[in-house]
Amino acid sequence: MKFPFEPVIFGYEINIHLVLEYLAFFLGYRYYVFLRKRTNDTIVSSNRLSIILGAAIGAFLGSRIMGFLENPIFHLDARSILDLFNAKTIMGGLFGGLLGVEIAKKIIGEKESSGDLFTFPIVLGIFIGRIGCFLSGTNEFTYGKQTTFFMGMNLGDSIKRHPIALYELIFLIFLFFLLKKLKTKKLKNGLLFQYFMIAYFTFRFFVEFLKPNYFLIFEISSIQILCLICLLYYNKTILNLFVKNAS
């Protein structure tokens, strides 16, 4: 396959990443609706709608802020402003969405954990989006450093690189089935989402070492700093995991 994959339909070149990004949102939401109909949701519909709104606003802001911090170069012209608006990352979206949900729940006075119902739709959405990233080759900053590793691929610039998006697709498959198995153990409400966040942010922290990051603080990228913040946010859950396994 030639990268980037840019199919032409009826004479028009299709932005495959954009198409799959919208498809990820659509199918992720439909999966959420499907699961909610089959789940005894303890959160009333009006509060659930407020939570979704909080998540959407937080994810939008978080993804843009982290997208800028991942490559903080800005010039005051129309193209740079457009690039700044379009710059986004799922990591900022996830953590921003988390904060947005917590703020929304504070405002409406909702005490119940709300993340479990979103867990599998989020995994599905990320998976579909990462297919778009993989097919986009070096047009998306999800490619890795030059490598002689057997999985190294020419992603469009004639250099064998770590296919970071492909690594993530494989990881997400394993994570999906692991979470499915954990769900059968009747976890405390909210733990499934917390386990997802801990696993995904831990994976992203380590895989970032394979990316050609140029903007580093203490030799780690802005994404890795966000990963550490997220893991610190869930420090009690992580500590309980170690204590539980030790006993």
Side-chain angles (χ1 to χ4, degrees), residues 95-153:
F95 196 71
L98 170 66
L99 296 182
V101 165
E102 294 304 319
I103 292 172
K105 286 168 66 175
K106 288 286 185 182
I107 293 173
I108 63 179
E110 179 60 61
K111 303 295 185 182
E112 292 289 331
S113 295
S114 58
D116 285 357
L117 200 54
F118 296 116
T119 302
F120 294 112
I122 288 174
V123 175
L124 175 63
I126 296 175
F127 186 86
I128 296 171
R130 280 295 179 250
I131 295 175
C133 292
F134 176 64
L135 294 177
S136 296
T138 53
N139 285 347
E140 292 290 328
F141 190 47
T142 51
Y143 57 86
K145 297 177 181 178
Q146 185 173 352
T147 183
T148 57
F149 186 53
F150 77 96
M151 286 190 69
M153 299 178 66

Side-chain angles (χ1 to χ4, degrees), residues 166-233:
L166 183 59
Y167 296 165
E168 187 166 330
L169 287 171
I170 296 170
F171 169 77
L172 288 170
I173 292 172
F174 281 106
L175 181 60
F176 182 88
F177 287 105
L178 174 61
L179 293 173
K180 279 287 187 182
K181 185 175 181 179
L182 288 174
K183 191 173 185 294
T184 63
K185 297 183 181 297
K186 296 182 179 180
L187 299 172
K188 179 183 175 183
N189 191 22
L191 270 182
L192 190 71
F193 179 76
Q194 292 178 36
Y195 288 162
F196 156 70
M197 291 288 282
I198 291 168
Y200 186 66
F201 276 70
T202 299
F203 167 80
R204 284 300 303 269
F205 177 83
F206 287 107
V207 86
E208 281 289 307
F209 287 112
L210 300 179
K211 290 176 66 176
N213 291 301
Y214 301 107
F215 298 95
L216 304 174
I217 301 174
F218 302 118
E219 298 302 317
I220 59 176
S221 69
S222 56
I223 295 295
Q224 289 173 306
I225 292 172
L226 181 65
C227 290
L228 294 176
I229 292 172
C230 181
L231 295 177
L232 183 62
Y233 183 87

Side-chain angles (χ1 to χ4, degrees), residues 29-44:
Y29 178 72
R30 295 311 307 170
Y31 190 21
Y32 159 77
V33 172
F34 172 82
L35 291 177
R36 187 163 190 250
K37 287 180 179 179
R38 287 156 180 78
T39 303
N40 184 21
D41 192 4
T42 57
I43 299 177
V44 298

Side-chain angles (χ1 to χ4, degrees), residues 72-97:
I73 294 179
F74 179 70
H75 303 287
L76 193 59
D77 56 57
R79 177 58 185 270
S80 292
I81 292 174
L82 181 61
D83 288 343
L84 178 64
F85 181 79
N86 288 330
K88 54 187 180 295
T89 170
I90 184 62
M91 303 301 288
L94 284 173
F95 196 71

